Amino acid sequence: MFGGSLGGRESCQKEFNVSREGVRVAKSKRGGGRGDKDTRSDFIDRTVKIKRCAAVIKGGRRFSFAAMVVVGDGKGRVGWGYGKANEVPPSVEKAQKQAQRRMVKATVQEGTIPHSVKGRFGAAEVLLIPARPGTGVIAGAAVRAVCEAAGITDILTKSYGSNNPVTLVKACFNALEQLRTAQDIERLRGVSIS
């Protein structure tokens, strides 16, 4: 019963291109819906965590799956989604759709972030520090997924507190939403920073 559920990844309806880095890039099968814009093409998606839950019923156990997915365009837009279903592929697909609906803009300058920032969610804290070109993404799996989907190529990170991947992703998003460029600060405060 359980073995067939995880092995069912091949039955997923979506096609993917795999790039050299091993990142899955979704290809859309559909032509344009409203107008000629195709909003689902060229998204980088990373499955951060798949959880299995067992409910004990009369005939044995019934398994359900929850998937945490991060989706980004590699140009500063990134979102996360959490989907639940009785099989793995539908839960991942639900999470991808939710992530695409919840995309936020992250401030990325020359492959890194403009300043250090600390994000918090629950018991998790994530510290994001800008890095010089060539450093790469120095991060754990959950924070790395968010940074790479957002198009950040050089960054240093440190996580404190909880090591739950779901909580770390939410803390990382909290940090990315706090980022501001020098021009944003000048405009908001009405001062000149030179």
Side-chain angles (χ1 to χ4, degrees), residues 81-120:
Y82 197 70
K84 297 178 183 180
N86 291 331
E87 299 287 332
V88 174
S91 67
V92 171
E93 203 168 306
K94 284 181 186 179
Q96 286 171 347
K97 286 180 183 175
Q98 190 182 75
Q100 288 170 3
R101 286 195 301 264
R102 289 190 173 170
M103 293 189 99
V104 295
K105 183 78 175 137
T107 306
V108 181
Q109 292 180 329
E110 299 170 9
T112 190
I113 55 176
H115 57 85
S116 297
V117 66
K118 185 180 271 191
R120 299 185 75 170

Side-chain angles (χ1 to χ4, degrees), residues 34-68:
R34 296 180 184 163
D36 293 320
K37 292 182 182 177
D38 187 10
T39 57
R40 295 179 183 232
S41 63
D42 299 330
F43 280 133
I44 299 166
D45 72 86
R46 288 289 182 94
T47 303
V48 176
K49 181 79 175 170
I50 295 177
K51 296 180 181 177
R52 185 185 75 171
C53 179
V56 179
I57 57 171
K58 186 170 65 175
R61 293 191 186 107
R62 182 177 62 223
F63 295 103
S64 61
F65 298 90
M68 173 72 149

Side-chain angles (χ1 to χ4, degrees), residues 117-121 169-179:
V117 66
K118 185 180 271 191
R120 299 185 75 170
F121 184 87
V169 166
K170 292 178 184 180
C172 191
F173 270 86
N174 178 257
L176 291 176
E177 288 168 359
Q178 296 174 36
L179 291 173

